[in-house]
Amino acid sequence: LTGKDVRVLSWGVEKVRGIFGMEPLNSAVGEELSPGAGVVEKDLHDFVKDNVLPNSHWVGTAKMGSKSKVGRSAASYEKDIVVDERLAVRGVKGLMVADASVMPLIPNGNVHSTVCVVAERAVEFILGPKEWARAEKRIREEEQKKKESGGNKNTATNTTEKREGGGGRRRNN
């Protein structure tokens, strides 16, 4: 981050604090958790320098957790949980979150591949283990057929005839 980045981000934190300090928001939200309301000016600049990384991948906005795995002393943590370990939104029947918002931290690699894994797990949760195993088997079989047929999507209607000289032309059967 540049010095200007730190100043602008610190200014932004102060503006958000001002907005949340006004009614009706003030009475609707809890206390500032990080960096904390007492962190101002130079300490706020230091916090921004130490904790903010330039990145455009938004993650971690829907905290994942399990009530059963949180001790009684962690009541404030428990109330912030949005989705359980099966990606189901607490208090909303039939709704799941399967995107980067359930990741607590930005992955070191591309976010897309990690989101694909989260989505795959969501499909597994929706289908159940037996149906998921059947689906995986069908996918593997289809991939094997593609390999064996040279990758043509529909070998029944699209064939390539080899001509002398190694070229080919498409013919619809």
Side-chain angles (χ1 to χ4, degrees):
L1 296 174
T2 67
K4 181 179 178 185
D5 293 333
V6 171
R7 287 190 304 278
V8 169
L9 288 167
S10 297
W11 173 85
V13 169
E14 293 292 348
K15 284 294 178 189
V16 170
R17 286 174 171 167
I19 292 167
F20 277 86
M22 293 186 279
E23 290 299 333
L25 290 176
N26 188 34
S27 59
V29 297
E31 67 183 89
E32 180 179 321
L33 300 177
S34 179
V39 179
V40 295
E41 299 177 359
K42 183 179 178 334
D43 291 338
L44 182 56
H45 288 294
D46 291 341
F47 175 85
V48 169
K49 279 190 268 187
D50 295 339
N51 293 283
V52 176
L53 300 171
N55 200 308
S56 61
H57 299 294
W58 295 98
V59 303
T61 57
K63 184 181 272 187
M64 184 189 303
S66 170
K67 286 174 76 170
S68 63
K69 294 179 183 173
V70 176
R72 290 185 185 264
S73 62
S76 65
Y77 171 83
E78 186 178 300
K79 72 179 172 101
D80 293 337
I81 296 171
V82 176
V83 297
D84 65 18
E85 65 275 5
R86 295 183 57 86
L87 305 172
V89 175
R90 288 179 57 191
V92 183
K93 187 176 180 179
L95 181 62
M96 296 175 79
V97 174
D99 62 19
S101 65
V102 300
M103 294 182 229
L105 301 169
I106 298 170
N108 286 335
N110 191 314
V111 172
H112 174 74
S113 56
T114 311
V115 169
C116 288
V117 172
V118 171
E120 188 173 308
R121 288 292 289 162
V123 171
E124 183 178 356
F125 294 145
I126 292 166
L127 293 178
K130 288 181 182 177
E131 185 59 35
W132 176 244
R134 285 192 288 268
E136 281 188 311
K137 183 179 177 188
R138 284 192 305 267
I139 291 168
R140 281 193 303 273
E141 289 170 354
E142 287 173 15
E143 287 173 347
Q144 185 61 37
K145 284 179 187 176
K146 282 182 187 178
K147 249 188 214 179
E148 291 169 0
S149 68
N152 291 337
K153 287 184 179 178
N154 188 345
T155 57
T157 59
N158 296 321
T159 60
T160 303
E161 287 185 338
K162 296 288 181 186
R163 293 185 286 167
E164 288 180 27
R169 70 174 177 205
R170 184 164 290 209
R171 178 186 74 197
N172 289 331
N173 291 342

